[in-house]
Structures are given as structure tokens and as C-alpha cells.
Amino acid sequence: MAPTPPTHLTPRKQPRQARATVTLNIIFEATIQVLLAVGPRRLTTTRVAERAGVSVGTLYQYFPHKQALFYGLNQHYLNALAEKIEYTCRTLHGAPIGQMVEALVTTYWNAKTERADVTRVLYRSVVELDNESLIEAFAGRVDPATAEMFASASDATFTDLSIVNLTLLTTIFGTVRSVFERNLPADDGRAVQKQLILMCNSYLGLVRSASDHRSK
Amino acid sequence: MAPTPPTHLTPRKQPRQARATVTLNIIFEATIQVLLAVGPRRLTTTRVAERAGVSVGTLYQYFPHKQALFYGLNQHYLNALAEKIEYTCRTLHGAPIGQMVEALVTTYWNAKTERADVTRVLYRSVVELDNESLIEAFAGRVDPATAEMFASASDATFTDLSIVNLTLLTTIFGTVRSVFERNLPADDGRAVQKQLILMCNSYLGLVRSASDHRSK
Amino acid sequence: MAPTPPTHLTPRKQPRQARATVTLNIIFEATIQVLLAVGPRRLTTTRVAERAGVSVGTLYQYFPHKQALFYGLNQHYLNALAEKIEYTCRTLHGAPIGQMVEALVTTYWNAKTERADVTRVLYRSVVELDNESLIEAFAGRVDPATAEMFASASDATFTDLSIVNLTLLTTIFGTVRSVFERNLPADDGRAVQKQLILMCNSYLGLVRSASDHRSK
Amino acid sequence: MAPTPPTHLTPRKQPRQARATVTLNIIFEATIQVLLAVGPRRLTTTRVAERAGVSVGTLYQYFPHKQALFYGLNQHYLNALAEKIEYTCRTLHGAPIGQMVEALVTTYWNAKTERADVTRVLYRSVVELDNESLIEAFAGRVDPATAEMFASASDATFTDLSIVNLTLLTTIFGTVRSVFERNLPADDGRAVQKQLILMCNSYLGLVRSASDHRSK
DNA sequence: AATGAATGAGCTTTCATTCAT
DNA sequence: CATGAATGAAAGCTCATTCAT
């Protein structure tokens, strides 16, 4: 089923004009800055507007209410993330399964680590923001992309691709979040990342259909 | 290092008396109910007190401020969770590694699933609640417990136990959270759970030290 | 007219027993301490009780409400002050007028300076405490005492004693308060005290009835 | 040293625009009204806002917290008072000393008596309002103004002008306050006022430097 | 009597949102 | 369209006072 982003949570103004898009990005960036500076609880629309260098009125031109701002922000970042994953999937199409897993983990990990503070702040800003629709939308893009990639693996086939795909995504995404939540030192983080790749690969070795093993 | 729960986030009144403990639990339960009913954003101290059948004043006798309530609630549940895990670890001491992993995953999964709504609500109540200290405290109990258990495995030894332990915990906890976040249907959830056990076991087969394989 | 201390502002329990008087004094002292420590705005009955080492309940046994506590405290100190002044007046009965003024100023000044912090704190605690009745009661004791003293002066008589008396008291008391309010350095304070005596004496020289001058 | 009014006690919004100044005055007046109507203890920001015909929000736009409102109010009146005194000092520059004292007392007395209720209410509103900085600021304006005036007297010079000045100010201001505090009937008040002038003049006759007497 | 947990009215303050300019 | 002063509902929290123990 297609994800249904509640209409009342989408930016009022479709950014047709370049200027609007610019303003939107400025507002997003300002939101992040405020989130980093004072945390979600003390984030106010006024503060965001101030930081963005626009008036509250203008802010409300772009987002009908505070919720919509959060929604838009998360959507923004999830979109970017989905794009990166899709790109990786396209690139790795037809590659050996081992490379796929490594690339997927690395892509996701890097995307999250690039601006670790933003990641952490976003993980927390999602309160009451019935973000289910966002997650759903994200899954709706990523699930098929990775499934398609795995299906194209040059050296493996899976009898139950869909569950394998789901397991891999859940594990990878979850582990990354867990690492952030535990605020692990960078070294430990990298170690876990490596082990995660190992783990996924060993798992895939196990669930690969019988014929693959023979042809090996 | 011992985790240091910020003193300003601990219940004001140490529940020395039976009555106080009862009240504390009533308040916790009421908080959960309110969280379920109206979500974290619309949870007010007054509402919680009402639901608990006590006055706001009493609430504030137990928790110096709203934050402390959330902190206490999470602490409460994390404590219970840690206890269950410790119990499992004690029970499985000396068992074969495969059983350990299965038991660990199952324990954690069940604990979270038992009251899925509470779990989901708690995952979200953690806003601005510098829950780092909580997570740290939790990790400080669970990490050693599982490490000790794994070290006692009858059929496996690990050259780098600490990283293996960390990887397993991060993966398991993260995956469970991910499943809750995606709000997967029960069937898919159970499937992923199974796969997660598989995955962990295959990983352990890989990282088990060489001598184990020989003795096999 | 006799001053009418509103009955609802008097201590509930007349301190007939020694123990009660002791407790009363402990409570007064605690009130002062709290006043000094946190100021009148953040003074709470609970805090006073704590400091006094009694329970709130006991506090309320002695003072039916917070107002009564303040009232009692001020009354306590004003009584002591009035006593000192009365004593001075009795002692100086029949003395030359110059000595009288000097003794009066010195007595008042010393009484206030003895525990300057308490004085300052009391000056401020008098909010909403319709302290008019207190002031009236104080004036009702002091006015006659000094008037009587002045009337007995060995070297001066006054045609309008009552206005002279009022002027002197108002001036002396007011000046002292002013000095406290301006938080003048001790040196300046003492200087002003000296000048005040000078001023009062010069004034008395002027308003002394004509016959006095002749007899001089 | 320049008085340092704590920044957190100054109006948030500098009244640059006429409208803001108007609103400010309305709020001040409303505060006085409420103070008169219910006393300082039962004054609430909501009540003040209501009386002023603005919303609480607006009140808080002008004053970051209740304290600031009191601070601003007192500052307002002390400023006006200081101006009047400065004006008198300028006007009396070079006059005979007797006229100066009379003018000073009269100016101060009138200023306080003009709206006696306001005066009384302000004297009491000063709770916990570390009004030291206000008093200091006031003294910092008035002290030099009167000193300068006295120095210019056509018929008197003083060897220790600074102490004489301090004594006069402390005495005058204190006496007035005392009269208000005792709630003296108008007749008595006026009588004391007259005596106060007399007293100051007799004092000045005494402390005038010797040469003045000769030239007399 | 003494205690101190419980009460809840009421206060200060915030902040999403509107709308006249 | 942009602005930002004004709004006021609603939240967090305090504390004088009571009363069962």
C-alpha cells in the first residue's frame, strides 16, 4: 500500500520557485541548529524563525504548524537517505552478494555518521510526530530497492527473499541506531560496523539456497 | 565506571515504606496510561495525577519535576528488563552457545512484546530526557552479565569476547527496536526474530576461536 | 486610642509554660535565619519549621497562619526595642536635654545595629502585614515615654512638647531606617549618627521656650 | 561608581516607539491600581494585565518576569522623583542656604504627598526586590545634585560638605518615610514638615564654617 | 500534643498561532 | 506577501493549610 503522508503535515507551499526551496532549506537548517542548541523541548517556532532570519509569519507560510515543520524536516532527511540507498542499489546491481551487503551497511552507516549530531537530534525529535507514515514511506522506497538488488546478486539466490531482505534491513538499521543511542566511542562503533558486515554475510551464507552452495 | 544518574532526576522520596512504593507504582502505571491515551506531548502532570487518583502535590512529592517522572519510569522498566536478562544469563551459565543466543533473544523479545504498547510508548517518551545515563546504567548491568555467560559457554571460546558481546547486544537490541518502530505485523516480527537467532548463531560460528572448530 | 492588634494575628497559644516560650523563640530565630538565607519571598512555613526542628503541624499550633508568624516576629522585636527605649527614658529622667537626645539616638541606633542583618531583614518582611497596628502599638509606648522624659529635662521646657517629641522621634527613627536602606558603610553611618545628635540638639536649642534661654 | 541595575530586571523592550511607551505607562498605572486594590501579596501578573487591558503575554513582552515589573515601576517613580529634585537644585543654584533647604524639603514632601496612596504602596512593593541597585542609582543622581547646590549657596560654605549633604538627605528622606509609615494625620504631617525645615536650618547654622558667621 | 503526607487552589510563565499593519 | 506584536489557553509547579495517624 502506498504510504499516505497526512496532507495536513506537508509544506503548504510547494517549492516551485527556487527561492522557496532556498528558504525551506534555511528553515530546516535553522531547526537543526536550534535542536542542537536547546533540544526539542525548548525549540519554539519563534526561535527557529529567528535563527533562520525570517519572521514567524513567514515560517507559518511554509509550515501550517509546528508538527509540519518536524515532519518536513524528517521527511527531508529520510528522502536524502533513501536516495543514497537507492543509488547504492543501482550501482551494485548484479554484483556478488558480499559486496552488496558491505556497500549497504557502509552507505547507511556513513549517511548517519556524516553529521552524527544531526542524526542524534533527529532520532530524538520524533515525538508524537506520528512518524509512522514517514517510516512507512521510507520503507516503501528502500525495501524494494534492496530486494531488487539482492535478487540480482551474481552469486546467490534466495528462496525467501522477502524475509531475508526484511531481516537484513531491520538488523542493519537497528544496529546503527543502537550504536548511536549507546553513544559508543568511534572505535567501538567502527568495530561493530565491521562485525555487522561479517554477521550479515555469515547469515547470507546460511540462507542462500542449496543450489548456490553446489555451484560454489 | 559506575553510571551516575543525575541526582536531580531521581525520585525525591526514597520508597522506604511499603505505602510509598505502592504510590510510586500507581503513578508509573498512570503515566503509562496517559502516555497511551494522549501521547507524550499532551501528557501533563495534572493528568497523570488525576489518573493516579492522587493530587498534583503528591506527584511532586515523589518527583521533583516532570522530567524526573519520565526518568523514573524508564529506569523502572529498564531495571526490570535488566533483571530478566541477568536471570537468563545465570540460568544459561555453562550451556552451549547456541542455546544462550536463543535464550537471550527470546528473553529480550518477550520482555518487549509482553506489553508492546508500553514498549512503544516508552521508546517515545524519551525526549530531552538525557537518557544517556539510563542507557549507560542498563549497559553497565547487561554487558557484564552476557559477557560472563558467553565466556562460560560449554562449546565455544572467543578470542575477542568483548567485541563479540558488544556486537550481539547492539544487534539484538537494535533489531527489536527497529521491528517496533516499523510496526511490523506480528507474523513478520516473529519471522525476523527467528532469523535474528539464526544470524547471531551463524556469526558466532564464524568468530569462534579456531580450537573450537577442531574439537568439533 | 489604644492600639488594637487584630486578634487573628496573635499567637494562638499564650506562652504560659516555659517550654512554649522556648519553642516560640526557636521559631522566631528560625524565621530570621530563613529570611536571611532565602529572603521573604521564598520563605515557606515548611522551611521555617524544618530550620526550627519542629514539624509544620507544630508551627501551626503556635501561629494560626503565616501572617501571624510575621506579625509575631515583628511584635517580638518591636517589644524588645520599646523596652530598651523605655529603660533609657527612665534612666535619663531629669537629666539635661542634651544628654537625653544623645542617649535616645544611641539607644535606638545600637538596638538596630546590634544585629544589622536582622534589622534589614525585618524592615523588608513587613509586606502586606498590615503592620499599622504594630507601629501604632510601638508608638503608643514610645511616644509617652520620651515625652515624659523630655518634660523632665533639668535645663529646658517646651511650649509645644508634643510636636517637638513627634518631630524628634520621626526624624531619629526615619534617619536610621534611611541609613540602613542606603546600606551606608559603617563609617558614614557613624558620622551621620553624630550629625543627627548635633542636629537634634541644635533644633532643641531653637524650640526651647524663651525662659530657658534667659536662665542660661 | 556607577550603579549597575541588573540587566535581568530591566524592561525587555526598550520603549523606542511612542506606542510602547504608552503601553508601558498603562501597565505601570495598572500595577499601582492593583497594588492599591489588593496589596502586593495578592497582586498577580494576570490581574495586572487584566486591569491594564492587555493580555498576560503582552505584559511578559515588556517585563520578563514579575520582579522586573516591580523593578520597573519603582525605577519609574524614582526617576521622576530624581528629576524633580534635580530641577529644584538647578533652580535654587546660588540662592541663600535657607531657601535651599526649604525648597528641597518641600519638593520631596510634595512629590511624595501628591499621590500619597501610590507612595505608600511603593514603599511596600519593595520585597525581595533587591532594590539596592535602585536606591544606589537614585542616590547617585541626587547626592551630587544637592551637593552642588549647597556648594553654590550665596551665604554659606561648608568645610565638610559631603557629610553635611549626606546627613541632610538621610534625615529628610527618612523623616518623610517615617511620617508615611506612621500614617500621621495630615496636620501632624505638615507640622513635622515645618519642624524638619527648622531643624535642618538650625543644623546648618551650626555646621556652617566660621568665616560665614563672621561675615554675617 | 506532635507529626508530616496529602491536598489543590492558584500562581507564574510559555509559546503556538493569528492578523492588523 | 512579510512582519512581529499581541493573544490567551494551558502547562508546570508551589506552598499554605489540613488531618489521619
Side-chain angles (χ1 to χ4, degrees), chain C residues 39-41 67 124 127-128 131-132 139 143 163 167 170-171 174-175 177-178 181-183 191 195 199 202-203, chain D residues 40-41 67 124 127-128 131-132 139 143 163 167 170-171 174-175 177-179 181-183 191 195 202-203:
Chain C
R41 236 190 16 159
Q67 297 287 322
R124 291 199 168 185
V127 193
E128 174 89 1
N131 65 338
E132 277 176 37
D143 277 14
I163 190 64
T167 301
T170 318
T171 317
T175 304
R177 165 148 207 167
S178 232
E181 197 153 57
R182 280 193 63 161
N183 212 6
Q195 301 294 306
M199 188 181 254
S202 69
Y203 166 69
Chain D
R41 236 191 16 152
Q67 298 283 326
R124 293 199 166 184
V127 195
E128 175 93 0
N131 64 337
E132 276 177 38
D143 278 13
I163 190 64
T167 301
T170 318
T171 317
T175 305
R177 164 147 207 167
S178 233
V179 167
E181 200 153 54
R182 281 192 63 161
N183 212 6
Q195 302 292 307
S202 68
Y203 166 68

Side-chain angles (χ1 to χ4, degrees), chain A residues 164 167-168 199-207, chain B residues 195 198-199 202:
Chain A
V164 170
T167 301
L168 287 172
M199 187 183 254
C200 290
N201 274 324
S202 69
Y203 166 69
L204 285 170
L206 209 69
V207 296
Chain B
Q195 301 292 305
L198 231 71
M199 187 181 253
S202 67

Side-chain angles (χ1 to χ4, degrees), chain A residues 41 67 124 131 195 203, chain B residues 41 67 124 131 195 203:
Chain A
R41 238 189 15 159
Q67 296 286 324
R124 291 197 167 186
N131 65 337
Q195 302 291 305
Y203 166 69
Chain B
R41 236 191 14 155
Q67 298 283 325
R124 291 199 167 184
N131 64 337
Q195 301 292 305
Y203 166 69

Side-chain angles (χ1 to χ4, degrees), chain D residues 35-53:
Chain D
L35 238 22
L36 285 170
V38 304
R41 236 191 16 152
R42 291 182 45 215
L43 174 146
T44 70
T45 47
T46 313
R47 255 195 268 263
V48 170
E50 247 167 33
R51 190 101 184 195

